[in-house]
Amino acid sequence: MNQRPRRNRKSISIRRMVQETNLTISDFIYPLFVVSGNKIKQEISSMPNVYRWSIDLLLKEVEECINLGIENFVLFPAVEENLKDKIASYSYQSDNFYLTAISRIKTNFPHVSLMSDVAMDPYSSDGHDGFVENGEIINDKTLPILSKMSIAQAQAGIDIIGPSDMMDGRVGYIRKELDNEGFQNTSIMSYTAKYASAFYGPFRDALDSAPKHGDKKTYQMNPANIKEAMIEAELDAFEGADFLMVKPALCYLDVIHQLKNNFDLPISAYNVSGEYAMIHAAANNGWLDYNAAFQESVLSIKRAGADVILSYFAKDFAKLNGK
Ligand code: PBG
């Protein structure tokens, strides 16, 4: 044998020397859930160690994360049922708690990158990402609503708009409206290939945002398709997206890889709530080693081609590998 691959595995230092993929805390965006009120830290039963925070405590949590080395955050609002309506009007009410949270974080910690969620579901009495008429999700009536939401977030100081709704044409529509309002420097991270997945369950518990009727299959993608992800990516790149996202991550590593090989824009991946809950559930049963299992999962997402990873594991990753 003149080739013995085990030689390059014989010590920790050699293994480190030949390591192909290196994950660091700056690769991550940490999702945080916000509620209105004061002194609130609510547990989410299906997402251990993830909480809904009121703004006062959210600011403390952000500070703690910054001290661990986390610099990028994405915010999601858990909106009270009585504020939801057909047109998600609370989403662009200028003094709503979500926009207040954005401006407070950016005022207190101007150097962090803050990303938003743009979709109707947290604010919609129908629980769908788009405008519903006679049980149908109406694409073109949704676009102006998404754009009002985006402009309100840009005014609050958001760095990156995150359209997660999967309506056709929304990236171009939002880009044009942002530019018209003078927000040329506000970025768009498009949820480009977002699949109709069973792995969003715990997130919908967190926001109480499950659809009131039907499912999301007429707008989110069929898990069987990868060519369609290329069509979505071409459109988003053409419409002006700054990042292309694949979501979920772990069942879709092939999609991440293919987008990485075919597009020069940064590729992000959303390691979603169900992927987080699964590892916690197994670890709580003593079936998996939590630290080893979650780090292997997030590493695999980077190895597949993701430049940026949205993950609830970011804080635990920072504790183990951060500053
Ligand atoms: C909806 C949205 C969802 C997630 C982010 N934005 C859920 C859905 O489409 O129903 C899921 C995130 C997660 O599961 O962690 N606009």
Side-chain angles (χ1 to χ4, degrees):
M1 280 188 270
N2 62 3
Q3 277 289 357
R4 283 184 181 268
R6 287 189 55 194
R7 279 198 286 265
N8 282 347
R9 296 177 206 141
K10 71 182 171 194
S11 68
I12 295 182
S13 53
I14 290 186
R15 288 198 294 275
R16 281 203 191 116
M17 189 197 295
V18 300
Q19 176 154 332
E20 297 172 39
T21 304
N22 288 293
L23 191 58
T24 66
I25 191 59
S26 55
D27 298 323
F28 285 93
I29 301 179
Y30 187 45
L32 292 167
F33 298 111
V34 202
V35 285
S36 68
N38 242 308
K39 296 200 167 41
I40 298 172
K41 177 184 181 181
Q42 278 170 355
E43 283 187 14
I44 301 156
S45 59
S46 47
M47 301 183 74
N49 304 331
V50 173
Y51 302 91
R52 300 185 195 92
W53 306 96
S54 55
I55 297 176
D56 51 334
L57 299 186
L58 178 75
L59 292 170
K60 295 211 166 76
E61 174 67 6
V62 168
E63 188 170 12
E64 186 182 321
C65 290
I66 291 171
N67 291 334
L68 290 168
I70 300 175
E71 291 190 306
N72 314 311
F73 300 88
V74 54
L75 284 186
F76 294 97
V79 178
E80 284 161 54
E81 207 56 40
N82 64 333
L83 294 171
K84 298 182 182 181
D85 61 21
K86 291 286 296 178
I87 55 167
S89 59
Y90 188 67
S91 68
Y92 46 87
Q93 192 174 299
S94 64
D95 58 351
N96 80 33
F97 71 87
Y98 183 72
L99 299 171
T100 307
I102 292 173
S103 62
R104 295 282 301 279
I105 291 176
K106 285 303 295 183
T107 307
N108 283 278
F109 312 104
H111 66 285
V112 305
S113 296
L114 195 57
M115 173 173 163
S116 68
D117 184 52
V118 170
M120 289 178 66
D121 56 330
Y123 313 92
S124 154
S125 45
D126 294 298
H128 276 286
D129 293 27
F131 177 73
V132 180
E133 210 167 53
N134 304 319
E136 225 185 284
I137 318 300
I138 312 292
N139 194 90
D140 295 13
K141 287 190 179 172
T142 304
L143 301 180
I145 298 171
L146 299 175
S147 137
K148 277 190 205 165
M149 206 183 293
S150 304
I151 288 165
Q153 294 170 356
Q155 282 163 344
I158 204 78
D159 298 293
I160 306 172
I161 297 278
S164 67
D165 54 282
M166 290 300 280
M167 296 302 119
D168 293 333
R170 91 275 205 213
V171 171
Y173 196 101
I174 292 170
R175 182 72 273 158
K176 185 158 164 264
E177 297 286 307
L178 284 173
D179 288 356
N180 283 344
E181 297 292 321
F183 295 108
Q184 289 86 353
N185 292 329
T186 307
S187 316
I188 299 179
M189 182 181 292
S190 177
Y191 286 60
T192 295
K194 177 171 177 181
Y195 288 87
S197 170
F199 290 94
Y200 307 147
F203 175 95
R204 293 178 190 170
D205 294 343
L207 297 197
D208 200 11
S209 64
K212 300 286 178 349
H213 54 84
D215 54 38
K216 298 192 175 186
K217 291 181 182 167
T218 68
Y219 46 106
Q220 298 181 348
M221 286 177 54
N222 179 347
N225 295 352
I226 185 165
K227 287 187 185 165
E228 197 179 337
M230 295 292 288
I231 298 175
E232 288 286 2
E234 276 158 25
L235 288 169
D236 284 353
F238 177 74
E239 291 175 33
D242 301 289
F243 302 79
L244 305 175
M245 190 202 292
V246 175
K247 175 179 174 192
L250 295 174
C251 290
Y252 301 89
L253 295 176
D254 56 332
V255 182
I256 295 171
H257 188 68
Q258 185 148 321
L259 289 200
K260 180 67 183 174
N261 286 343
N262 287 281
F263 292 87
D264 293 329
L265 289 170
I267 305 299
S268 60
Y270 200 140
N271 179 209
V272 299
S273 56
E275 299 172 332
Y276 177 80
M278 272 195 302
I279 289 182
H280 272 278
N284 284 342
N285 273 304
W287 297 338
L288 285 179
D289 173 338
Y290 176 74
N291 284 342
F294 96 73
Q295 291 187 96
E296 185 177 332
S297 320
V298 287
L299 181 69
S300 76
I301 299 168
K302 180 148 187 200
R303 193 194 61 236
D307 302 289
V308 179
I309 302 171
L310 291 81
S311 177
Y312 307 96
F313 291 121
K315 195 173 173 188
D316 285 336
F317 183 89
K319 286 182 185 160
L320 295 169
N321 306 282
K323 288 188 195 169

